Amino acid sequence: MDPALVRLGSMVQNRYKYFRWTKRTARITFVYAAVIPAIIGYLGYQNDGLWDLRAKRRGDIISER
């Protein structure tokens, strides 16, 4: 087997042992755990009820406003 692949597999399995909180990892975690869900929630809230896709036929308007 390729020694580099064996080393990669070992690193992936033991990643939790060598993880450290740094400014970079804290920033990335904050973005994925708070910023992105907040943006998706805001966009969902803004578009709630704006589109009605049920029982539409050709020529009907999608927008309800």
Side-chain angles (χ1 to χ4, degrees):
M1 291 192 60
D2 187 9
L5 290 176
V6 172
R7 189 172 41 206
L8 176 66
S10 174
M11 182 186 69
V12 168
Q13 288 178 351
N14 297 317
R15 183 173 300 187
Y16 70 95
K17 295 179 185 177
Y18 304 106
F19 178 79
R20 293 198 177 137
W21 284 105
T22 61
K23 288 182 182 181
R24 180 177 183 267
T25 57
R27 191 177 320 122
I28 291 170
T29 302
F30 179 73
V31 167
Y32 281 116
V35 174
I36 292 176
I39 291 171
I40 292 172
Y42 175 76
L43 291 174
Y45 181 75
Q46 291 298 317
N47 290 315
D48 186 33
L50 184 62
W51 311 106
D52 185 20
L53 300 177
R54 291 188 189 166
K56 293 292 180 181
R57 295 184 182 183
R58 186 178 301 173
D60 288 347
I61 299 172
I62 295 176
S63 178
E64 292 296 320
R65 289 184 185 176

